[in-house]
Every structure is written in C-alpha cells, then in structure tokens.
Amino acid sequence: MPHFEIPVNLVHAATIAKRLTSRIAQTVPPYRDSESLEQAQYIFAELFPYHLDSIDPPAAEQMIVSAHVLDLARHLVTLIELEGCGNDRIGQSIRNLFECLGRGQEGAILGLKAGEHPDSLQRPI
C-alpha cells in the first residue's frame, strides 16, 4: 500500500518520541511508577542525538537505529496496554513514530492498541 511506504526520518522520530513521552507523563498519576513512561523516556534518549541534528544519518546507521527503536517501541505498546494509560493522542503518536521508522502499516495496528480511535480522521485508510 503506497500510503505506508514512508522513508525513515530519525529527526522527526525524535520529535515524536519527545511528544510521546510528554503525553504519557500527562496520563500517569504523579504518585505512580510507570514502566511505559520510563520506556518512552528511554526511546527519546536513544533518538535524542538526532533531535539535535537536522540531517538524518547515513542509511546504514538509520537501519540499525530504526531496528533498535522499533523493538523498544513494540515493548512500549505492550506496557501501555498493561498499564491502561493509552488514549487517542498516545495512539496517534505511536502510529507516527512507526511511520517515521519506516513501518507505517505496523504503526497503524499498534496505534490502535495504544488507544488511537479507529475512526480518527488522521488514520490511513
């Protein structure tokens, strides 16, 4: 499907990871430990060097970083489900993160698991 063929963009993925961390922090009560928040913070830390740069790294580095962050993001979705902290905005951010890592179709599925509304206007058809 052509709308899922999105090139890897680590610079934008870092921006989305920062946004995702903020959105999870807003949903978790301050008195409660949250593994999903810790995982989101870890993902942002892994992508932080690209947040500072405006140019994506060479293709080989993109592949390695993308594969690593995709594994972390898959685990994040599991934690979001377990903690019940997902919502539409978090689900959209998950979908966007996967899109930026070159896995748009997987992101569309996992975004739903993280709380994105299935009838959201921003969801791909």
Side-chain angles (χ1 to χ4, degrees):
M1 295 184 184
H3 57 274
F4 288 123
E5 296 174 16
I6 302 167
V8 173
N9 184 335
L10 296 180
V11 173
H12 194 55
T15 301
I16 292 169
K18 181 179 179 183
R19 189 177 304 143
L20 184 57
T21 299
S22 176
R23 288 186 174 145
I24 292 173
Q26 292 170 357
T27 65
V28 176
Y31 56 85
R32 186 175 132 205
D33 289 335
S34 171
E35 288 186 50
S36 62
L37 179 56
E38 289 177 21
Q39 184 74 358
Q41 290 168 336
Y42 182 57
I43 290 170
F44 178 60
E46 292 295 294
L47 290 169
F48 184 73
Y50 308 101
H51 183 66
L52 299 174
D53 208 351
S54 61
I55 300 171
D56 272 316
E61 184 177 343
Q62 282 184 0
M63 287 175 45
I64 293 167
V65 172
S66 293
H68 174 62
V69 173
L70 283 165
D71 285 341
L72 298 174
R74 290 178 188 114
H75 184 62
L76 174 59
V77 171
T78 300
L79 294 171
I80 289 169
E81 285 183 293
L82 288 172
E83 292 180 8
C85 65
N87 61 40
D88 189 50
R89 300 299 291 174
I90 289 172
Q92 288 173 9
S93 294
I94 289 289
R95 178 174 45 81
N96 293 154
L97 180 62
F98 275 81
E99 288 170 348
C100 287
L101 297 172
R103 294 293 177 99
Q105 191 165 12
E106 183 179 5
I109 294 165
L110 294 180
L112 292 172
K113 289 184 173 192
E116 185 176 18
H117 296 144
D119 57 353
S120 173
L121 295 175
Q122 295 182 9
R123 284 192 55 78
I125 297 172

